[in-house]
Amino acid sequence: MTHFDIPLGLSWMWALLVSLFAVPSIIYIAHLKNMLDTPNGRTVHQSLTPRLGGVAVFAGFMSALTIFAPLENGVKELLAGCIILFFVGLKDDLVGMSVSKKFVGQLLATGIVMIMADVRLTSFQGILGIGTLPVGISYAFTFFVIVGITNAINLIDGLDGLAGTIVLIICSTFGYYFYQYGGASYGNYAYVAVCLIGGLLGFLRYNFHRAPIFMGDTGSLVCGFIVSVLAIQFIEMGLRVGQPFGSSAPSVAVGILFVPLFDTMRVFSLRMAAGKSPFSPDKNHIHHRILAMGFQQISTVLLLGLLNILVTLSVIQFAYLGNTVLIIALAIFSALLSIFFGVYQSRISRRLLATENSN
C-alpha cells in the first residue's frame, strides 16, 4: 500500500457512509414535506416517490473530495461547476425548471471548468485526419461534449438504479486508469471518480426496484457533469501522458460511455424524424424498449450494465486498431442495435393491433 492508497480509500469510505446515512433522512423529510414525484404517462413508477437522492450523492462526493483530495489541475473548478448544477437540479426536482434555464446553469458550470481551469479537448488525435484544434473550435467542441454527456446521463435516469449503475461502471473504468497512469497531472482525478463511486454506492443501497427514492436531476446533472470532465481528462491524458491508450483514447472514451451516448443519439434521432423537439419527453428510450420485451426493471438495469461493460472491454481490448476502426465498429454496432429495437417494436405494435381487432 502506497501513501496514495490510504487517503483514496478513506475518501471512498467517507463518501459511502455520508450517502448511506443521509438517504433515510432525506426520504423522511421528503414525505413529511410532501416533496414527492407524481407518476405520469411516461414514468415507470406507480407511487409517490421523492426525487432527492442526488442530495445524498452530492453530500458524500463533495465532503469526501474537499477533505481528502488534492484540488489542483481543475478539480477545484469542477467542484464549483457541480455546486451550480446541484442547485439547478434541486430547483427542478422541487418546483420544476424550463429547459432553457437548465441550459444556462450548464453553460455557467461548463464555462468555469473550460475557462478558469482550461479543461478542454485540444486535439482530435487523427480522427478525420484532424490533429490539434484551433482554440475557438476547441472551446466550442468541449462545450458541446460536456453538455451532451451531462444530458445523456440525465436522460437515461428512467429506471430504478439505472443511471447510478451506468455511472458507477463508467467512473470505475476512468478512475482505474487515472490511478494507474495519471501521475502528477491527472492522478487526482482518481479521487473524483472514487468519491463519486462511494456516494453512488450509498445511494444505490436504496435505489433498486422498488426504490423508495430516485436520483432526480439533482443527482443526474451532477453525475453527468463529473463524467463529462473525467472523459475529457481521460482523452487529454492519452495525448499528453501517452498512457494508457495514446491516440486511441477518444474512441475508447466513446466506448466507455456507450449506453448513455447510444440512447441519447437514438432518441434524439427518432424525435427529430417524427418532427418533434429532441428534448420532448417520450417512452422511446432503450430501457423502455427492453421493458416492452417483457424484462423486469432489475433485469433491464443489469442487461444495460452488462452491455456497457462488454463494449468497454471490447474497445479496451482492440484499442491498438486506432480511432477510425473503433468508431466505425461502434457506429455499425449502434445501427444494428437500433434496427433490432425498431423491428422488435414493430412486431409488438402489430401484435397489440391484432389483439385489439380480435376483441
Side-chain angles (χ1 to χ4, degrees):
M1 183 176 287
T2 69
H3 68 284
F4 189 65
D5 295 323
I6 296 172
L8 201 62
L10 289 173
S11 64
W12 173 81
M13 189 175 295
W14 181 284
L16 171 68
L17 292 175
V18 168
S19 177
L20 194 63
F21 287 111
V23 172
S25 299
I26 293 167
I27 294 172
Y28 173 75
I29 293 168
H31 281 279
L32 190 67
K33 300 296 182 181
N34 199 31
M35 296 183 291
L36 305 170
D37 184 51
T38 306
N40 56 52
R42 61 184 182 82
T43 56
V44 177
H45 69 287
Q46 298 175 342
S47 58
L48 293 168
T49 309
R51 297 180 64 207
L52 298 171
V55 174
V57 177
F58 179 76
F61 168 78
M62 181 83 173
S63 57
L65 201 63
T66 51
I67 292 169
F68 297 102
L71 301 180
E72 305 87 26
N73 307 326
V75 174
K76 181 174 63 176
E77 289 79 8
L78 169 65
L79 281 173
C82 288
I83 291 169
I84 292 171
L85 290 179
F86 170 78
F87 284 106
V88 168
L90 186 63
K91 183 180 179 184
D92 188 49
D93 288 335
L94 293 176
V95 297
M97 182 181 281
S98 67
V99 172
S100 59
K101 289 181 179 177
K102 285 201 281 188
F103 180 77
V104 171
Q106 292 175 30
L107 177 64
L108 289 172
T110 305
I112 288 172
V113 295
M114 280 199 312
I115 296 167
M116 298 185 68
D118 200 34
V119 172
R120 58 190 174 91
L121 292 165
T122 58
S123 172
F124 272 12
Q125 303 189 37
I127 299 174
L128 302 175
I130 302 170
T132 303
L133 297 172
V135 174
I137 295 175
S138 172
Y139 279 117
F141 186 69
T142 301
F143 173 76
F144 173 77
V145 168
I146 293 177
V147 172
I149 294 174
T150 300
N151 284 289
I153 300 297
N154 186 32
L155 288 169
I156 206 169
D157 184 26
L159 291 184
D160 295 344
L162 179 57
T165 300
I166 296 298
V167 173
L168 199 67
I169 293 166
I170 293 168
C171 281
S172 298
T173 309
F174 284 142
Y176 169 77
Y177 287 109
F178 283 124
Y179 175 75
Q180 287 289 344
Y181 305 103
S185 300
Y186 297 97
N188 59 336
Y189 280 92
Y191 282 92
V192 175
V194 162
C195 290
L196 186 56
I197 290 167
L200 283 169
L201 284 172
F203 164 71
L204 283 171
R205 156 70 177 80
Y206 300 94
N207 188 232
F208 278 102
H209 190 65
R210 301 179 177 260
I213 189 169
F214 301 148
M215 180 183 287
D217 278 18
T218 314
S220 60
L221 287 176
V222 170
C223 287
F225 182 68
I226 295 167
V227 164
S228 69
V229 174
L230 289 176
I232 288 168
Q233 296 295 64
F234 174 82
I235 292 169
E236 287 297 296
M237 182 172 71
L239 179 67
R240 298 178 185 179
V241 180
Q243 293 289 348
F245 303 108
S247 62
S248 296
S251 53
V252 173
V254 171
I256 293 169
L257 295 162
F258 179 77
V259 166
L261 292 184
F262 166 72
D263 179 62
T264 301
M265 293 178 70
R266 180 180 170 276
V267 294
F268 275 21
S269 300
L270 290 172
R271 289 168 186 174
M272 288 188 288
K276 300 177 183 176
S277 164
F279 296 99
S280 59
D282 56 30
K283 297 190 77 169
N284 269 323
H285 288 281
I286 184 173
H287 48 271
H288 292 134
R289 299 278 60 83
I290 295 174
L291 285 173
M293 293 178 185
F295 287 90
Q296 299 299 314
Q297 282 207 43
I298 291 178
S299 303
T300 302
V301 171
L302 294 176
L303 193 63
L304 287 173
L306 180 62
L307 173 63
N308 211 90
I309 290 171
L310 290 175
V311 175
T312 297
L313 292 175
S314 298
V315 292
I316 289 170
Q317 180 67 31
F318 296 104
Y320 66 89
L321 295 174
N323 285 315
T324 304
V325 173
L326 286 178
I327 288 173
I328 290 172
L330 288 170
I332 292 171
F333 180 61
S334 299
L336 292 173
L337 210 54
S338 294
I339 292 168
F340 169 76
F341 284 123
V343 170
Y344 201 93
Q345 185 178 0
S346 298
R347 287 181 179 176
I348 291 172
S349 300
R350 287 199 299 270
R351 200 176 301 155
L352 289 172
L353 186 62
T355 304
E356 289 174 4
N357 290 336
S358 65
N359 291 335

